[in-house]
Amino acid sequence: MKDTDKDTPIIYGLEFQARALAAQTAETDSVRFLVGTQSLKFSNNQVHLVELSEGTGNLKTQVFQHPIGEIWSIQASPTQVDKFITCYNSLTDNTCQMKGALWSIPKDNDTNDIVPLEKLADIDTTPYGNELKTITYNPTDSTKAVSVVDNNFVLWDLNFKPQVVTVGTLTSRGQPKFTNGKWNPHHLMDQFVTLNENSIKGWDFRDPKEFAWTIASAHSQIIRDLDFNTLRQYYLSTCGDDGFMKFWDIRNTNEPVLSRMEHSHWVWSIRINKFHDQLVLTSSSDSRVILSNVASISSEPFGQIVSEEDATMEETCSKEKLEDGVLAKYEEHEDSVYAVEWSAADPWTFASLSYDGRLVINRVPQKYKYQILL
């Protein structure tokens, strides 16, 4: 791909509606994403493995059958390239039930045929409730995962057959059910964070009966997503139906350290760049993806030293410090954008997915990339 083409979006259309997207986390050499579909005819659902060729800018895709239900969440293994988890809506005895399963991508599939995925195991969350929201891997250990279902979060050991390790429960009367959750990548991976309506709660697996900290009424409406800053120990971000993205220091939860409203409708997804934490992506029901700069609260508020290979760009890039605010708005979608993810292989590449089945791969604009590197 020529430098002049690097800011051009690449669009991939799926046959069915979709809202589940994940970067293939364990793949650090190639830009790859997993997409799960939501066909109302359960047997038609698929998982697409999409790879971006760095040399040509073309997409290589493989499609696999997921015939047991529409996919609401997909999570890639942090250490095994061919493993992932789906949360899916299944029809049993004319009753819809959310379920979870661990899958493997078939090896040596060089054909263009749509082949079945290999189902490794069911992750049976039904004893803990009906409203399964996500099953999320430990960020560094593929043998551990947490499911968020009703008012419970369940820690699983995925070695051999999935086994329950511990269960945490939101027991207060009148509390709404959990809507999402994510591992805290810090604190020795002993902490899990949940969302319920507009509140955030941090839990310690060593004593899951009581939450370690809480942010009550963090947003004025439902919080849809959260993400941690992997480069700053106590910082996390949230987004929700009030249109805001907010950044929090969990040592002082009285108010956010930064709050911005850039979207005109519900914000479904927020992701902090794991290598350059001043870069933040959000996606919304307003059909937009927004790339924001939050350098004032990043781990490198004054930038960093440019590498030798990028030094030649110094003459063509502005050396002005990037101020907090919107860097770019991406408007290639025509429907609600439910998910956005940074690539695990290239810190400047990201993908977004809208409900109409449109996957768009974009890059951080070159001028901002080199301003950050300078």
Side-chain angles (χ1 to χ4, degrees):
M1 184 184 295
K2 299 177 181 178
D3 281 349
T4 54
D5 297 332
K6 285 194 173 183
D7 291 345
T8 303
I10 301 168
I11 299 174
Y12 174 67
L14 285 78
E15 182 181 354
F16 305 112
Q17 294 171 324
R19 63 188 298 160
L21 171 68
Q24 196 177 41
T25 316
E27 176 53 68
T28 56
D29 293 327
S30 301
V31 174
R32 291 181 185 169
F33 297 95
L34 292 165
V35 185
T37 68
Q38 280 198 328
S39 170
L40 292 177
K41 187 175 181 181
F42 286 0
S43 60
N44 284 346
N45 281 290
Q46 303 167 342
V47 170
H48 293 236
L49 175 60
V50 181
E51 178 179 335
L52 173 66
S53 169
E54 283 290 309
T56 64
N58 295 328
L59 294 181
K60 176 184 176 182
T61 60
Q62 298 180 67
V63 184
F64 304 97
Q65 296 171 10
H66 186 280
I68 56 177
E70 54 181 7
I71 302 169
W72 283 79
S73 170
I74 189 165
Q75 298 281 334
S77 165
T79 59
Q80 298 171 293
V81 174
D82 59 336
K83 304 294 192 302
F84 63 92
I85 291 171
T86 62
C87 297
Y88 60 92
N89 195 11
S90 180
L91 187 63
T92 305
D93 298 328
N94 294 320
T95 301
C96 286
Q97 175 71 55
M98 287 295 296
K99 296 182 178 180
L102 176 64
W103 304 87
S104 178
I105 297 172
K107 293 181 175 64
D108 303 322
N109 177 37
D110 296 326
T111 70
N112 292 323
D113 297 335
I114 301 177
V115 299
L117 292 163
E118 180 184 353
K119 188 178 182 183
L120 300 177
D122 290 307
I123 303 175
D124 185 11
T125 63
T126 55
Y128 305 97
N130 297 316
E131 296 184 29
L132 174 63
K133 297 300 184 180
T134 188
I135 303 176
T136 177
Y137 278 105
N138 178 299
T140 60
D141 185 352
S142 61
T143 67
K144 296 178 181 178
V146 174
S147 60
V148 177
V149 53
D150 279 11
N151 60 334
N152 301 297
F153 62 93
V154 184
L155 174 61
W156 296 83
D157 183 344
L158 300 181
N159 268 319
F160 307 111
K161 182 180 179 180
Q163 300 286 335
V164 174
V165 177
T166 189
V167 180
T169 304
L170 190 61
T171 56
S172 303
R173 284 189 176 183
Q175 289 279 8
K177 297 175 181 178
F178 291 135
T179 51
N180 207 339
K182 184 167 283 191
W183 289 79
N184 186 337
H186 309 289
H187 305 290
L188 302 176
M189 303 291 182
D190 284 328
Q191 196 174 95
F192 191 76
V193 177
T194 59
L195 304 177
N196 65 305
E197 289 290 336
N198 62 345
S199 297
I200 312 166
K201 292 177 172 59
W203 306 78
D204 194 315
F205 287 121
R206 295 166 295 186
D207 184 16
K209 295 180 181 178
E210 295 289 337
F211 41 84
W213 54 267
T214 185
I215 307 176
S217 301
H219 288 247
S220 62
Q221 298 180 49
I222 293 175
I223 306 173
R224 295 293 176 178
D225 198 18
L226 76 157
D227 196 28
F228 281 89
N229 186 333
T230 59
L231 303 180
R232 296 201 71 179
Q233 185 173 0
Y234 299 101
Y235 279 63
L236 65 84
S237 61
T238 56
C239 64
D241 286 4
D242 57 5
F244 279 91
M245 64 172 178
K246 296 185 179 184
F247 299 84
W248 306 88
D249 183 337
I250 62 175
R251 296 168 298 182
N252 180 8
T253 58
N254 292 327
E255 60 181 7
V257 293
L258 182 67
S259 179
R260 300 189 67 91
M261 183 178 183
E262 308 294 359
H263 290 279
S264 60
H265 209 261
W266 304 341
V267 186
W268 281 94
S269 182
I270 187 165
R271 291 292 180 269
I272 301 172
N273 192 295
K274 288 179 170 53
F275 300 94
H276 307 284
D277 57 333
Q278 71 189 82
L279 297 175
V280 179
L281 291 167
T282 51
S283 66
S284 166
S285 298
D286 64 8
S287 304
R288 291 188 177 96
V289 174
I290 291 180
L291 173 66
S292 297
N293 180 59
V294 293
S296 64
I297 59 169
S298 72
S299 60
E300 294 181 328
F302 305 108
Q304 54 183 291
I305 299 173
V306 67
S307 62
E308 289 185 8
E309 63 181 283
D310 293 323
T312 56
M313 293 298 297
E314 289 189 19
E315 298 302 321
T316 60
C317 295
S318 168
K319 296 184 181 181
E320 295 180 4
K321 177 187 172 184
L322 285 176
E323 300 294 332
D324 285 3
V326 173
L327 296 182
K329 294 183 179 181
Y330 300 90
E331 300 183 341
E332 293 85 18
H333 294 284
E334 298 177 356
D335 205 340
S336 294
V337 189
Y338 282 123
V340 65
E341 294 285 351
W342 291 103
S343 163
D346 178 11
W348 310 105
T349 300
F350 60 92
S352 53
L353 178 67
S354 52
Y355 189 58
D356 56 3
R358 179 176 294 186
L359 178 75
V360 181
I361 297 178
N362 269 298
R363 295 175 186 266
V364 175
Q366 291 283 297
K367 60 180 179 179
Y368 298 131
K369 171 182 175 179
Y370 291 110
Q371 275 184 272
I372 291 169
L373 291 175
L374 288 176

